[in-house]
Amino acid sequence: MTKFLSFLGRILLAQIFLVAILFQLAIIFNSPSGYENYQVYLGHFGLPGVFAPLMILVQLLFGLSLLLGFKTKLSAYVLAVYAVFIAVFLKLPDPTPGSGLLGFMQYIALAGGYITLALHAPTAWSLDNLRKK
């Protein structure tokens, strides 16, 4: 049962950023100005346009890596740092009453989950385990 739950935890943590970026990429590619709109959205939070490709890359690359269980420890740590980054730069300044603080706390909790996963890596049914054999 422990193997299954560690696998499930890894999959659930991986899907958060991976599914989010897949939806974001669908929005970007469905509009001729989708990428520019994404850069403008990030600009509202004081982030320059260079953050758009970096954020896409981090979510896609490390989310997929975590999903497959490849370099789980590294991926979990990177996504923990990324979750804190999102909390501080995109959720804390959110002007919606109550929403900013709630979003901030949710992303901080995600960072805790990623750190816990990194400390207990590799998990069952992962590429990390296949490489050991």
Side-chain angles (χ1 to χ4, degrees):
M1 186 64 155
T2 302
K3 283 184 177 183
F4 175 74
L5 290 177
S6 68
F7 167 74
L8 182 63
R10 188 186 84 230
I11 298 304
L12 291 174
L13 281 170
Q15 65 83 32
I16 294 168
F17 288 125
L18 187 57
V19 171
I21 198 58
L22 291 176
F23 279 121
Q24 185 62 45
L25 287 173
I27 292 168
I28 288 171
F29 287 123
N30 282 336
S31 170
S33 61
Y35 183 72
E36 290 81 17
N37 291 342
Y38 183 57
Q39 289 179 313
V40 167
Y41 168 75
L42 295 176
H44 289 305
F45 297 98
L47 297 174
V50 71
F51 277 91
L54 293 174
M55 291 173 73
I56 291 169
L57 182 67
V58 165
Q59 291 179 79
L60 197 57
L61 181 66
F62 291 101
L64 186 58
S65 178
L66 199 63
L67 181 74
L68 298 173
F70 179 72
K71 301 280 185 184
T72 303
K73 185 177 272 195
L74 172 67
S75 298
Y77 280 133
V78 168
L79 289 174
V81 170
Y82 183 75
V84 171
F85 172 83
I86 293 296
V88 171
F89 288 100
L90 298 185
K91 298 301 174 181
L92 201 54
D94 189 350
T96 311
S99 175
L101 184 58
L102 180 60
F104 175 81
M105 295 305 295
Q106 288 171 337
Y107 278 92
I108 293 299
L110 277 174
Y114 287 122
I115 290 168
T116 302
L117 179 62
L119 294 174
H120 296 286
T123 60
W125 303 302
S126 68
L127 292 177
D128 289 338
N129 280 338
L130 289 176
R131 291 187 308 146
K132 282 181 166 180
K133 296 178 181 180

